[in-house]
Amino acid sequence: MRNQDIANLLDLTADLLEIQGANSFRIRAYRSAVRTIEGLTENLADVAGKGAGELTKLPGIGKDLAQRIVEIIQSGTTTQLDELREEVPAGVLDMLKLPGLGPKKVGALFHELHVTSLDELKQAAEEGRVSLLKGFAKKTEQSILENIDAAAQFGQRVSIAEAKRAAEAICDDLRQLDCVTQVEVAGSCRRSKETCGDLDILAVADSPTEIMDRLSEHELVQAVLQRGDTKQRVRLINGLEADLRVVPEESFGAAMQYFTGSKEHNVEVRRRAQERGLKLNEYGLFRGEESVAGRTEEDVYAALGLGWVPPELRENRGEIELAEANKLPKLVEMSDIRGDLHMHTTASDGEASILEMAQAAKDRGLSYIAITDHSKRASVANGLDDKRLLKHWKDIEKVRGQISGIEILKGIECDILEDATLDISDEVLAEADWVIAVIHYGLKQPRKQIMERLLNAIKNPYVCAIGHPSGRIVNKRQGADIDYPEFFQAAADYGVFMEINANPARLDLDDIHAAAARDKGIPIVINTDAHSCGGLDVMPYGVAQARRAGLEAKDVANTRTYSEFCKMLRTS
Ligand code: DGT
Ligand code: CA
Ligand code: CA
């Protein structure tokens, strides 16, 4: 059981408690434990293994929570969570996926309107019953109606981070078995899509029974839904479902190719096979009865006159032509990344100090970072005004003398205000090494206003990059209405970088827009936006998004050495 799995279950408990109107101190205790656990570098299960008292030494973890954590590690749930799940129907939790609906509001809808599903909520909103509730504005009701169809559609999908974590834990475990020679995850998870509908796991094993038994006993598995001779479908504790298919060794490559998808990619590949008088399915590539390829994916693609296509590109967006012409890009990799240009400290809403963040980044092999705390408009995040920012930069200068082997840029995540001005004065911005401009507020403004704000930021001589440009939250909130061609043209003209925010909840720019920005010659920076040391570990999701965009190392500014990176910055 990984830390994030434990944190997720505690967070779910907090949501359920809040829906049930529990004491706010208790809820806060759970939330603060979640943050503690997410920021931990050591494995919580190992800490718990050292003895009963060890967990309570962690900040924000008292006796009660320590007990729950132990329960989760041992059984994958808690009696409290099971009880809460009985009291609150699963459909009530679906309502949390709507923007603007937190557990408190969802609790009111459940208890006062007796709404227990998205369908019922839609009906209640259409009938105007939602806005009659205390604390609900007409605007909230409208927003529910605007977003409910998307929420129902996304409802069953989980973030790539959650999917990958579960897939890795399960695959690692199945690989322990002696009877197993191969286990890999395929499907959207292997393609690193932003969200996954289910997991598709493939294995080669002498004993299908043994590997299926092992899966059904896995701590992340809640229930076995179907079981056949070589195929099993299970539901995980986070609600995600997973298929395990045991395939013959000589079919493993063909099965990986088939189940990695996407469907659209497969349709094209299969058409190519047919053109050559071949038949392609999950068992192999055949001429009549004779097998031509199937053991490895490389063999399958090669037999069709194609180079091996990296999974992230398999969306039928031109990759097959590139594979045929031997022109597939050499996609950027985690090991190419040398810097991280977006992170927070205790100066605003981060959990670690400047020095701790720098040390954590250095431990992860980075050679430069930018500290970019919030500006004052982000008052909930304790954003900095001009004066505090100048003092904060002095602190950064001091830290430079306390750590070697890593360069620290004096940065700021500066809000682009609703009236298109910047939240920090030009005189102060002029002193920065690195300025990321972002829109946090007024995301729903009409396109004309949004564009005015973005263009104004781009034209400011001190702005280096636009952070999480669309402002979307994956599965939850749509991004701003941006005229991308105009936006990218301006960024290209003024030499402003674009961020791929690696936080799995953002992944912003998305793959399509990151590719479009690259086509305009705009340097891309992949940043974690970390709010704790552990937050630095989301970089692989940003790299995966860049790979889905077809980016190479040369397209990504923070693959450069520090001095090369500095040369790219605007000198004004
Ligand atoms: P998901 O689970 O919705 O996030 O997306 P995928 O891509 O993992 O889709 P899934 O789990 O339905 O199926 C896994 C792969 O299996 C899919 O990417 C391609 C392949 N596949 C499934 N059904 C079909 C089909 O009807 N035709 C073809 N050509 N391939 C299919
Ligand atoms: Ca899938
Ligand atoms: Ca599937």
Side-chain angles (χ1 to χ4, degrees):
M1 177 110 4
R2 317 228 173 153
N3 290 359
Q4 192 63 53
D5 298 313
I6 299 169
N8 288 350
L9 289 177
L10 292 177
D11 205 35
L12 174 63
T13 307
D15 285 345
L16 288 164
L17 283 169
E18 202 166 349
I19 288 170
Q20 291 296 64
N23 177 304
S24 62
F25 279 111
R26 208 155 143 232
I27 296 161
R28 226 175 296 151
Y30 275 84
R31 303 273 188 221
S32 110
V34 168
R35 278 198 305 277
T36 299
I37 294 169
E38 284 176 340
L40 277 186
T41 42
E42 64 265 55
N43 188 328
L44 203 56
D46 294 341
V47 178
K50 285 188 204 143
E54 288 303 305
L55 286 174
T56 52
K57 286 185 190 156
L58 295 170
I61 304 216
K63 241 175 147 174
D64 176 60
L65 270 156
Q67 177 56 40
R68 309 271 183 225
I69 291 169
V70 170
E71 248 187 294
I72 290 173
I73 292 168
Q74 286 169 353
S75 68
T77 182
T78 66
T79 47
Q80 175 199 33
L81 183 56
D82 291 345
E83 279 165 25
L84 283 164
R85 274 177 161 152
E86 295 240 316
E87 292 164 17
V88 181
V92 174
L93 284 170
D94 289 342
M95 294 193 257
L96 288 174
K97 301 209 165 92
L98 282 162
L101 286 193
K104 224 189 218 113
K105 283 209 161 72
V106 167
L109 292 165
F110 173 43
H111 292 293
E112 291 170 43
L113 290 184
H114 308 291
V115 166
T116 61
S117 69
L118 287 175
D119 275 349
E120 288 173 20
L121 177 62
K122 187 174 179 180
Q123 198 181 345
E126 280 168 353
E127 291 167 7
R129 285 186 282 133
V130 171
S131 57
L132 296 179
L133 280 179
K134 191 165 161 265
F136 286 76
K138 200 82 204 157
K139 224 171 90 187
T140 316
E141 191 167 73
Q142 262 154 15
S143 151
I144 289 173
L145 286 170
E146 278 164 28
N147 292 295
I148 199 155
D149 289 335
Q153 193 191 334
F154 285 140
Q156 303 309 315
R157 304 186 68 82
V158 305
S159 83
I160 184 65
E162 224 172 311
K164 282 237 156 107
R165 213 159 34 235
E168 275 164 27
I170 289 170
C171 290
D172 284 350
D173 182 59
L174 298 179
R175 285 188 192 111
Q176 306 291 311
L177 291 175
D178 285 339
C179 71
V180 167
T181 50
Q182 301 255 35
V183 184
E184 297 294 339
V185 68
S188 51
C189 185
R190 183 167 179 235
R191 303 199 312 279
S192 292
K193 268 200 83 158
E194 295 159 0
T195 62
C196 295
D198 73 355
L199 297 180
D200 306 275
I201 299 170
L202 299 175
V204 175
D206 295 335
S207 165
T209 315
E210 208 179 314
I211 189 170
M212 288 195 285
D213 285 349
R214 177 79 165 215
L215 175 64
S216 59
E217 286 155 17
H218 194 276
E219 59 191 3
L220 294 181
V221 171
Q222 191 185 52
V224 175
L225 303 175
Q226 276 169 23
R227 179 159 172 164
D229 294 337
T230 57
K231 190 188 153 191
Q232 187 177 29
R233 187 165 180 85
V234 298
R235 186 171 53 234
L236 308 184
I237 54 175
N238 62 1
L240 187 64
E241 294 181 5
D243 280 327
L244 168 65
R245 290 183 174 81
V246 185
V247 302
E249 192 168 5
E250 62 275 14
S251 296
F252 186 70
M256 283 299 284
Q257 199 287 321
Y258 181 89
F259 288 107
T260 294
S262 66
K263 252 175 227 165
E264 293 73 15
H265 174 86
N266 286 357
V267 167
E268 267 310 296
V269 174
R270 202 155 358 118
R271 209 175 49 78
R272 267 187 89 82
Q274 282 159 359
E275 281 170 8
R276 288 167 165 68
L278 301 168
K279 197 179 89 195
L280 178 64
N281 59 30
E282 62 264 52
Y283 302 103
L285 182 65
F286 300 91
R287 175 170 285 115
E289 297 292 301
E290 179 210 356
S291 167
V292 179
R295 191 169 292 266
T296 71
E297 274 194 332
E298 283 84 349
D299 294 347
V300 173
Y301 282 106
L304 295 171
L306 299 172
W308 179 79
V309 183
E312 295 92 336
L313 294 180
R314 299 184 195 175
E315 301 291 346
N316 192 28
R317 294 190 206 136
E319 74 279 8
I320 294 168
E321 290 74 8
L322 292 175
E324 176 167 36
N326 207 9
K327 285 192 175 144
L328 283 166
K330 189 181 173 324
L331 300 179
V332 59
E333 292 174 17
M334 252 317 270
S335 57
D336 294 323
I337 300 293
R338 296 180 185 199
D340 185 348
L341 288 306
H342 187 162
M343 66 187 67
H344 298 264
T345 71
T346 47
S348 63
D349 61 345
E351 274 161 38
S353 67
I354 302 162
L355 182 59
E356 286 166 334
M357 290 305 283
Q359 185 61 52
K362 187 181 161 187
D363 292 346
R364 285 160 177 77
L366 296 180
S367 54
Y368 57 98
I369 57 171
I371 300 288
T372 53
D373 277 294
H374 285 287
S375 64
K376 64 181 182 299
R377 176 67 175 85
S379 52
V380 286
N382 189 27
L384 303 164
D385 59 16
D386 282 19
K387 200 168 147 221
R388 282 178 62 212
L389 179 57
L390 288 169
K391 157 85 175 57
H392 178 48
W393 284 341
K394 286 245 151 53
D395 293 340
I396 293 177
E397 282 169 10
K398 275 185 218 141
V399 171
R400 285 174 177 166
Q402 294 165 13
I403 183 166
S404 63
I406 186 149
E407 306 290 341
I408 312 173
L409 295 178
K410 293 182 289 183
I412 178 75
E413 177 177 10
C414 181
D415 259 272
I416 308 169
L417 302 176
E418 288 93 325
D419 67 359
T421 59
L422 292 178
D423 200 17
I424 298 288
S425 72
D426 276 4
E427 299 80 78
V428 173
L429 290 181
E431 302 297 312
D433 300 322
W434 174 253
V435 176
I436 305 178
V438 298
I439 293 185
H440 284 129
Y441 299 91
L443 273 168
K444 286 193 181 155
Q445 286 179 346
R447 174 177 280 210
K448 189 166 166 290
Q449 262 167 288
I450 292 284
M451 289 310 294
E452 213 176 287
R453 294 167 75 185
L454 290 172
L455 296 182
N456 209 38
I458 286 171
K459 288 174 188 165
N460 181 293
Y462 309 113
V463 168
C464 306
I466 305 292
H468 47 70
S470 85
R472 65 108 176 237
I473 302 291
V474 174
N475 256 3
K476 199 157 175 152
R477 181 173 80 199
Q478 283 206 316
D481 185 6
I482 296 173
D483 178 343
Y484 280 98
E486 189 185 4
F487 178 41
F488 290 153
Q489 187 59 56
D493 290 346
Y494 285 85
V496 168
F497 298 12
M498 286 290 150
E499 178 178 79
I500 292 180
N501 191 292
N503 185 323
R506 289 194 181 273
L507 295 173
D508 182 11
L509 296 172
D510 67 15
D511 48 356
I512 306 255
H513 290 118
R518 184 270 323 270
D519 290 345
K520 275 275 170 208
I522 300 169
I524 306 288
V525 271
I526 310 174
N527 294 327
T528 62
D529 198 354
H531 284 68
S532 64
C533 297
L536 295 168
D537 293 326
V538 301
M539 186 62 88
Y541 305 114
V543 171
Q545 187 76 316
R547 290 170 64 85
R548 289 181 57 79
L551 301 196
E552 303 193 347
K554 67 172 167 48
D555 303 318
V556 178
N558 51 321
T559 63
R560 311 284 170 104
T561 61
Y562 177 64
S563 65
E564 286 170 45
F565 177 81
C566 289
K567 278 186 219 147
M568 295 175 77
L569 295 178
R570 295 161 95 173
T571 41
S572 44

